[in-house]
Amino acid sequence: MKKILFTCLFQLILISGMLGQEKNTTATGEEVINLAGAWSFRIDSLKTGEQEKWYNKPALFFNQKIKLPGTTDDAGFGNPLQLKPVLKREVMLHLWRKFSYVGAAWYQKEVIIPASWNNRQVSLLLERVIWQTDVWVDGKKVNTQGESLSAPHDFDLSPFFKPGKHTLTVKIDNSKKFDIGDGHAYSAETQIIWNGVIGKIQLVSKPGVYLKNTQVFTEEKLNRIKVVSEIDNKLGKNLRSALSLTAVNGETKSEKSNIPLSLKAGENIIVSYIDIKGPIKKWDEFNPALYNLHASIKSANSTHSTTTRFAFRTLSSKGPQLLINNRPLFLRGTLECNIFPLTGYPPMEKEGWRKVFESAKNYGLNHLRFHSWCPPEAAFEMADEMGFYLQVELPAWSLKIGTDKLADDFFDREAGRMIRYYGNHPSFCFWSMGNEMQGNMKWLSDEVIKLKSVDNRRMYTTTSYTFEKGFGDWPLAADDYFITQRTKKGWVRGQGIFDVEAPSFNKDYTKSVDSLPVPLITHEIGQYAVYPNINEIAKYTGVLAPLNFTAIKDDLARKNMTAFASDFTNASGKLAVLLYKEEIERALKTKNVSGFQLLDLHDFPGQGTALVGVLDAFWDSKGLIKPVDFRKFCAPVVPLIRFEKATYTNNEVFKAQIEVANYGAIPLKNATVVWQITGDEGVVLASGKISGVNIHLGNSALAENISTTLTKVTSAQKLNVSVSIENTTYQNNWSIWVYPEKVNPIPEDVVFTTDYNEALLALEQGKKVLLNPAKEKINGVEGKFVQVFWSPVHFPNQPGTMGLLVDPKHPAFENFPTDNHTDWQWWDLCKKSTTLVLDSIGLSPSAIVVRNIDNFFKNRNMSSVVEAKLGNGKLLLCTMDLHTDINNRPVARQLKYSLLGYIHSSKFNPVTVLDMRNFQKIEKKAKQ
């Protein structure tokens, strides 16, 4: 009787004790205790070997509480932020942790092990940790140590847990363990170097014989799958068991039941095959068909089951062409650099990733590259369901790969863990060993060869671009595909071209990719800086402080420029969009390019505040372009044209070759292609229709071209050229500018001169003057068309600005059609110019006719066209060349004509006064 009472009392104690922890029992033979919630906590202050202090007096040592999953940043533990938002490089490097801590921290929780877990296997799962984990149970240290940046930390606690109450202690050290470079798995640039645990925190109970891991390899040609089961027999003796496997897709089941097994004590690797019933359904971006594999192991009185997801998809190549299921594949990608500004760490639930992939898909993308990090399980699951092709990387951005054995061995172990935890996911399509790696490339090549021999379910490359030994040694023999921005034969991204070559839209990268033996993906194209949106500051309600944005906002306020801030963002962003459009279209026009990886669709707030995105760091629109318009040039099927230039005179013929990049699911048969050219107010100037066109997969040139005279254009106009495929949503358009071949002469009451002294004489006589000095004779900043690269903080010495800000309704542009931002027609003018710094010559913003947007690290008042009163006259100063070879430069000739017309009109009435001393500062004197 006493024994019965004691047993009942013990069970009541267990039940009451478990009220503070959640226990879930599943049909798989597993039981789970969720350890999410309050934990006792302390930042480390112990010397080595003093752990007994917390064990003997835990209440004194663990004197704080923290919520897990979560981080010390979430809880407000660590060093408070001391920096002030000032425009200094130190502040502008990245977003800043409001509370930072790097080092060891201790977490402790009492757990109740139920009686039903007696003699079962018990493990502790910590889904994601930075970087090293040690565990104690009741003061006894567990022999294993967690070390992964990419995979869960999993501890076998079976020898330590018996039914009853136990004290679980976890020490987490987020300090750097190996030199892995600046990878985004461990970097202050985007993901913060947090301490804590995110994702699942669980105690998991399993029977003595259980499925430890299951890997699925599809064998489509044999209409079957190969299943590699890792079965752990913890019962300490050989035994017989049975394995059952069922592959399910919809209502179709393919199974192999009760496979007899003889298991030895310890680990057993079992290889099985299942023939797939019915036609195989293949996974891709258009039809992400998924299968579930249910595996079950029976032995003695226990059963343990698992489910893993897989898909049939074949990644391959034919020479330089990438293939998915033997169909041409073009990767339309962007980077994901672990940018999550509210938390400083990635979402661990699928819903947290839905916005990422839906945003990318809305803008026509089908691919994400995870720059130097591996996302959590939830990201793979969402990508599986949405049909996204992922490139995953080791947490490496190393300059000495293959030369540091501790780091190299860690990378090797990490690769094994990534296969183990994420290898079955069909979205895990591509694997690079890291970003821009340098060092011992043979080690890197050998690692790729080793991984391919173990797991052939994806394509591999040694590195996402390298500067090692120039450009001539790549790709390596181990590479299945090749990522670069430049080959030994030339650039494959516009960053090295668009500011050097006059705008031409009939070019591609064919010469640069000639003779490449494997598919090429262009590396980090774009990187066009957009002026910060200071309204974004209010969105930073989490653990990171936007000191960089606040510093810019305060600097604008000091300089009385706050009113221009949103226009700066819009105008610089519109310029970035048109450059991204040409980047993408040029890649699509090149037959032997198999994709691009943007940097970036969304902002990268690290590495000097690199705001290079169409979207902000939250994946929200900046209002620069609608998704439907972005998809015109970034989609599975994109109409394209090749044409010589952006600007024409009305005595010329506009010619264009029509192409269609078709990387859709099927060829387009008997299609009708429609083209149209419209002018002011949508007036149709020319049109055409091409019927019965078969548009094959890949890049297809059509048999017919556009050819039309421009004589109907009698005044300067911006025209719209559009091409669409009838009865589809596929449509694209381009702008060209047409100017009259002849313009009227200079009005008699206006003086046009390139000479400072002549201008002064005319002004003293009370005349109106358009002064246009040679750009070499102007004090200022070198003119450029493309805005600053990446970040003016990270690269502070680059010349140029962030584009033009123009009022299209200003009377100075009555005869010069323009939008509020730089477009292709401004290229020649921007390149042949010197930008004035108005602060140094005493001109206020009211004098500006054309504003140049300075980079946000300097925020100077800058301009290329200003107006002012000087002496007895009125001055319009243009620092863009309007006089050199004017008969062969119709854009310069037209701007000159428009400016002269403005000066001649009654609307020209400058209010700003420029004194003689400041006027003289404009002229660059010859060195004596």
Side-chain angles (χ1 to χ4, degrees):
M1 186 64 177
K2 287 182 179 180
K3 184 176 182 180
I4 293 173
L5 287 172
F6 178 81
T7 302
C8 291
L9 181 61
F10 182 70
Q11 289 177 342
L12 283 171
I13 292 171
L14 286 183
I15 292 170
S16 63
M18 289 187 65
L19 292 177
Q21 62 185 35
E22 179 185 345
K23 175 189 170 188
N24 296 316
T25 303
T26 67
T28 63
E30 290 187 3
E31 292 183 1
V32 175
I33 294 176
N34 185 2
L35 299 181
W39 285 62
S40 298
F41 171 77
R42 178 161 179 161
I43 287 177
D44 189 42
S45 61
L46 298 180
K47 297 178 181 178
T48 304
E50 292 185 345
Q51 285 84 4
E52 66 277 4
K53 287 185 179 179
W54 60 253
Y55 181 61
N56 292 329
K57 296 180 180 179
L60 294 177
F61 181 75
F62 292 96
N63 56 359
Q64 294 170 306
K65 293 290 183 181
I66 193 169
K67 184 180 178 181
L68 296 180
T71 67
T72 53
D73 295 73
D74 292 332
F77 293 129
N79 300 312
L81 181 60
Q82 300 295 323
L83 283 176
K84 302 299 180 184
V86 293
L87 208 61
K88 293 183 178 179
R89 193 166 192 273
E90 175 192 9
V91 174
M92 299 295 296
L93 291 174
H94 46 69
L95 302 171
W96 289 91
R97 297 168 71 181
K98 294 176 182 177
F99 295 92
S100 60
Y101 175 70
V102 177
W106 297 79
Y107 304 80
Q108 190 176 84
K109 191 178 186 70
E110 284 194 348
V111 297
I112 306 295
I113 302 300
S116 60
W117 286 23
N118 194 33
N119 295 321
R120 287 171 62 86
Q121 301 304 302
V122 181
S123 61
L124 170 66
L125 176 72
L126 308 174
E127 188 173 1
R128 186 146 293 194
V129 179
I130 295 177
W131 177 339
Q132 184 175 289
T133 309
D134 293 285
V135 176
W136 288 258
V137 177
D138 299 331
K140 297 178 182 178
K141 189 173 183 180
V142 178
N143 291 332
T144 55
Q145 186 178 67
E147 65 160 0
S148 181
L149 291 168
S150 308
H153 292 198
D154 199 343
F155 300 87
D156 181 4
L157 304 184
S158 305
F160 301 90
F161 276 149
K162 301 299 179 187
K165 184 187 291 186
H166 296 275
T167 300
L168 177 64
T169 306
V170 179
K171 177 187 176 185
I172 297 173
D173 190 348
N174 63 343
S175 57
K176 200 167 191 176
K177 304 305 169 190
F178 310 107
D179 185 1
I180 61 172
D182 296 316
H184 294 321
Y186 188 89
S187 168
E189 297 293 344
T190 50
Q191 175 178 254
I192 57 177
I193 304 172
W194 48 267
N195 198 305
V197 183
I198 58 175
K200 297 183 181 70
I201 307 175
Q202 299 174 339
L203 290 175
V204 183
S205 168
K206 301 174 184 177
V209 177
Y210 64 95
L211 287 155
K212 193 171 184 179
N213 190 259
T214 304
Q215 297 291 318
V216 183
F217 298 82
T218 59
E219 298 183 352
E220 184 183 334
K221 291 181 179 179
L222 299 174
N223 222 58
R224 70 182 187 183
I225 60 172
K226 172 185 173 182
V227 181
V228 179
S229 304
E230 183 182 338
I231 301 171
D232 226 352
N233 173 12
K234 293 291 191 179
L235 299 181
K237 60 181 179 180
N238 295 348
L239 52 84
R240 294 186 178 278
S241 66
L243 176 66
S244 295
L245 301 170
T246 304
V248 180
N249 176 272
E251 299 298 319
T252 305
K253 293 184 179 180
S254 307
E255 54 190 340
K256 199 166 188 178
S257 301
N258 297 315
I259 305 167
L261 301 178
S262 295
L263 299 179
K264 65 182 180 181
E267 183 182 289
N268 296 263
I269 302 297
I270 305 298
V271 178
S272 314
Y273 297 89
I274 304 177
D275 294 327
I276 300 299
K277 294 181 180 179
I280 287 176
K281 296 180 181 179
K282 297 182 181 181
W283 180 96
D284 63 15
E285 64 188 281
F286 306 107
N287 181 34
L290 297 169
Y291 289 74
N292 285 318
L293 177 73
H294 303 294
S296 179
I297 184 77
K298 293 182 180 179
S299 60
N301 298 319
S302 69
T303 301
H304 182 243
S305 303
T306 63
T307 298
T308 189
R309 192 155 61 177
F310 72 96
F312 282 90
R313 59 112 175 92
T314 304
L315 284 166
S316 60
S317 62
K318 183 178 181 181
Q321 177 64 63
L322 196 62
L323 304 174
I324 177 77
N325 301 326
N326 297 316
R327 188 182 68 244
L329 170 61
F330 192 92
L331 297 178
R332 305 181 303 278
T334 192
L335 272 63
E336 211 315 294
C337 299
N338 220 339
I339 304 167
F340 300 95
L342 293 182
T343 60
Y345 53 79
M348 301 303 289
E349 302 292 336
K350 282 171 56 178
E351 283 307 305
W353 284 96
R354 185 178 298 278
K355 182 175 184 178
V356 173
F357 289 112
E358 284 186 346
S359 297
K361 188 173 184 177
N362 284 342
Y363 284 81
L365 302 185
N366 62 2
H367 168 55
L368 252 66
R369 172 196 165 200
F370 290 88
H371 179 305
S372 60
W373 76 292
C374 176
E377 179 81 12
F380 289 103
E381 290 177 344
M382 184 56 68
D384 290 346
E385 295 170 11
M386 294 185 68
F388 259 79
Y389 310 115
L390 305 186
Q391 176 176 302
V392 177
E393 298 182 2
L394 287 171
W397 186 352
S398 175
L399 304 182
K400 52 183 181 180
I401 193 73
T403 63
D404 181 338
K405 190 173 189 314
L406 289 176
D408 296 339
D409 289 348
F410 168 75
F411 290 139
D412 185 62
R413 295 190 299 271
E414 194 79 335
R417 289 185 284 257
M418 289 166 63
I419 290 174
R420 181 179 189 84
Y421 282 95
Y422 313 121
N424 289 331
H425 288 286
S427 58
F428 189 175
C429 294
F430 304 94
W431 195 349
S432 169
M433 297 301 101
N435 180 67
E436 297 174 2
M437 308 282 268
Q438 298 182 51
N440 180 358
M441 291 298 152
K442 184 180 185 306
W443 183 94
L444 203 59
S445 183
D446 290 345
E447 182 71 12
V448 167
I449 292 169
K450 174 185 172 181
L451 291 174
K452 287 202 284 190
S453 69
V454 172
D455 186 352
N456 64 354
R457 291 174 289 187
R458 55 199 49 87
M459 299 183 78
Y460 294 81
T461 192
T462 45
T463 179
S464 298
Y465 181 65
T466 181
F467 301 98
E468 181 84 3
K469 299 179 183 176
F471 307 102
D473 300 328
W474 302 90
L476 300 180
D479 291 328
D480 294 328
Y481 65 107
F482 178 40
I483 303 172
T484 191
Q485 63 186 26
R486 185 176 178 182
T487 72
K488 62 184 178 181
K489 296 185 178 181
W491 287 97
V492 290
R493 77 175 190 188
Q495 191 68 54
I497 297 171
F498 293 163
D499 203 64
V500 178
E501 299 178 358
S504 177
F505 306 91
N506 57 6
K507 294 182 179 180
D508 59 30
Y509 301 122
T510 297
K511 291 182 180 179
S512 297
V513 301
D514 180 51
S515 303
L516 281 179
V518 296
L520 179 142
I521 314 299
T522 58
H523 176 70
E524 297 183 357
I525 66 172
Q527 305 189 50
Y528 301 112
V530 177
Y531 198 91
N533 175 15
I534 61 176
N535 294 323
E536 191 179 315
I537 294 172
K539 299 171 74 169
Y540 288 88
T541 58
V543 303
L544 291 166
L547 298 187
N548 42 7
F549 284 84
T550 304
I552 295 163
K553 179 182 179 181
D554 293 348
D555 189 55
L556 288 173
R558 282 191 298 270
K559 297 174 179 176
N560 297 315
M561 294 169 63
T562 304
F564 299 109
S566 61
D567 290 333
F568 288 173
T569 303
N570 180 267
S572 61
K574 294 283 190 181
L575 172 56
V577 166
L578 71 91
L579 294 170
Y580 274 117
K581 174 176 164 66
E582 179 59 18
E583 287 272 14
I584 291 170
E585 291 185 356
R586 198 168 285 205
L588 285 168
K589 289 173 183 174
T590 310
K591 292 183 182 295
N592 290 340
V593 167
S594 285
F596 59 80
Q597 293 170 343
L598 299 177
L599 190 56
D600 197 323
L601 183 65
H602 73 320
D603 283 344
F604 184 101
Q607 210 174 55
T609 310
L611 309 179
V612 294
V614 175
L615 310 181
D616 65 21
F618 300 84
W619 290 90
D620 295 329
S621 173
K622 297 180 182 179
L624 305 175
I625 185 171
K626 295 178 180 178
V628 66
D629 292 324
F630 200 90
R631 291 198 302 272
K632 289 179 180 179
F633 54 86
C634 183
V637 180
V638 177
L640 300 163
I641 60 173
R642 294 178 187 253
F643 56 107
E644 181 185 359
K645 56 186 179 177
T647 59
Y648 299 81
T649 53
N650 60 356
N651 65 332
E652 292 185 272
V653 175
F654 174 74
K655 296 180 179 181
Q657 178 185 350
I658 300 175
E659 298 181 6
V660 178
N662 180 10
Y663 293 96
I666 57 173
L668 302 177
K669 297 181 179 180
N670 200 30
T672 299
V673 177
V674 178
W675 63 268
Q676 191 175 75
I677 301 177
T678 56
D680 286 346
E681 299 180 354
V683 174
V684 177
L685 301 174
S687 63
K689 182 179 288 189
I690 309 170
S691 302
V693 177
N694 292 322
I695 303 173
H696 305 293
L697 293 176
N699 186 282
S700 302
L702 303 189
E704 296 188 36
N705 299 326
I706 299 172
S707 181
T708 183
T709 61
L710 299 171
T711 53
K712 293 180 181 179
V713 183
T714 57
S715 61
Q717 287 189 45
K718 173 186 174 182
L719 307 186
N720 180 67
V721 183
S722 67
V723 176
S724 60
I725 302 174
E726 208 168 64
N727 299 318
T728 74
T729 59
Y730 305 126
Q731 186 264 337
N732 200 358
N733 57 276
W734 302 262
S735 297
I736 62 171
W737 290 261
V738 180
Y739 306 106
E741 178 195 5
K742 296 180 180 179
V743 296
N744 294 330
I746 299 172
E748 290 183 1
D749 64 334
V750 178
V751 174
F752 175 83
T753 181
T754 63
D755 184 79
Y756 288 96
N757 292 326
E758 184 181 345
L760 280 175
L761 180 61
L763 289 165
E764 285 301 319
Q765 295 170 355
K767 294 182 179 180
K768 294 184 286 187
V769 175
L770 174 55
L771 174 60
N772 185 226
K775 68 184 184 71
E776 296 81 12
K777 295 184 178 181
I778 303 171
N779 277 318
V781 177
E782 175 189 348
K784 289 186 68 178
F785 175 76
V786 174
Q787 66 260 62
V788 293
F789 170 73
W790 186 242
S791 160
V793 182
H794 192 71
F795 297 109
N797 295 322
Q798 53 182 315
T801 60
M802 299 184 74
L804 303 177
L805 177 60
V806 185
D807 178 3
K809 296 180 181 179
H810 193 291
F813 306 109
E814 185 174 342
N815 292 293
F816 188 83
T818 182
D819 291 297
N820 75 325
H821 59 89
T822 313
D823 212 325
W824 292 109
Q825 91 276 24
W826 285 97
W827 189 91
D828 177 68
L829 292 166
C830 289
K831 290 293 293 179
K832 293 182 172 68
S833 72
T834 297
T835 305
L836 292 174
V837 181
L838 302 189
D839 305 311
S840 62
I841 57 175
L843 274 178
S844 66
S846 61
I848 294 175
V849 177
V850 174
R851 177 183 284 275
N852 295 70
I853 305 168
D854 196 13
N855 76 69
F856 56 81
F857 196 40
K858 294 179 180 176
N859 282 327
R860 296 165 294 183
N861 269 301
M862 305 183 79
S863 178
S864 296
V865 181
V866 295
E867 60 183 13
K869 295 178 180 177
L870 179 59
N872 299 314
K874 299 175 182 178
L875 171 69
L876 187 69
L877 170 65
C878 179
T879 62
M880 296 172 166
D881 184 346
L882 304 180
H883 60 273
T884 304
D885 194 24
I886 200 73
N887 291 328
N888 294 313
R889 296 171 58 223
V891 184
R893 184 177 65 202
Q894 188 67 32
L895 179 59
K896 177 182 177 181
Y897 170 69
S898 189
L899 294 180
L900 288 169
Y902 168 55
I903 298 174
H904 174 67
S905 74
S906 61
K907 297 176 182 178
F908 180 55
N909 190 26
V911 296
T912 301
V913 176
L914 178 64
D915 64 37
M916 185 62 63
R917 189 165 56 91
N918 282 324
F919 175 76
Q920 291 172 344
K921 292 179 183 178
I922 297 171
E923 184 178 8
K924 181 184 284 187
K925 305 295 184 182
K927 292 182 179 180
Q928 299 299 322

